[in-house]
Amino acid sequence: MTERRAILSGSTFEERIGYARALVDGDRVHVSGTTGFDYATMTISEDVVEQAEQCLRNIGAALAEADCTFADVVRVRYLLPDRADFEPCWPVLRRRFGDVRLAATMLVCGLADPRMKIEIEVDARRSSA
């Protein structure tokens, strides 16, 4: 039987909405759209670059719990309410994904909370599964 396991971050959104930060499904790991909230304090920076960095810390923690790293990521989706906020994030995103050369998409859309300036979602394949 294929492993199916939910990974929770402790975000109040997971409980209130009814989802998991990530789902391990066999050798696949699907990380839900992740924003720049620090889940321990449920605070968020006003700066989009700091939010992007926190998104990646949150994603990194979920990947680690799924026995993955950023090197295992095969697809990333960036969601931003303001397209002008994307380019300032490029150096942060390149540090995590520049050597991986994964498939990527950027969408301009509304997010659930007006304080959110970026949301990042990734899919990975576990090499150890």
Side-chain angles (χ1 to χ4, degrees):
M1 178 178 239
T2 301
E3 173 190 15
R4 184 179 162 98
R5 171 174 57 99
I7 294 172
L8 303 176
S9 68
S11 163
T12 58
F13 298 119
E14 293 168 359
E15 182 61 32
R16 290 169 54 198
I17 299 170
Y19 71 96
R21 171 65 36 225
L23 179 71
V24 175
D25 185 20
D27 69 342
R28 306 282 179 167
V29 178
H30 307 280
V31 181
S32 296
T34 303
T35 64
F37 273 93
D38 177 331
Y39 298 132
T41 62
M42 286 309 292
T43 58
I44 191 167
S45 171
E46 292 181 16
D47 181 74
V48 69
V49 174
E50 289 177 19
Q51 285 192 28
E53 290 170 343
Q54 185 63 50
C55 288
L56 294 170
R57 283 191 293 274
N58 295 340
I59 290 168
L63 290 171
E65 194 168 335
D67 299 320
C68 282
T69 69
F70 283 99
D72 297 307
V73 175
V74 296
R75 170 166 279 293
V76 62
R77 291 171 196 86
Y78 304 108
L79 304 111
L80 296 95
D82 184 348
R83 78 182 74 243
D85 281 341
F86 191 46
E87 190 169 349
C89 296
W90 290 357
V92 171
L93 304 174
R94 182 166 179 77
R95 279 194 296 276
R96 294 293 185 166
F97 299 123
D99 292 335
V100 179
R101 298 296 181 179
L102 64 168
T105 302
M106 184 280 224
L107 298 167
V108 175
C109 62
L111 299 178
D113 182 316
R115 296 173 293 172
M116 298 171 179
K117 296 184 178 192
I118 187 168
E119 185 168 324
I120 302 173
E121 171 186 318
V122 304
D123 295 313
R125 175 177 271 161
R126 297 189 310 163
S127 56
S128 61

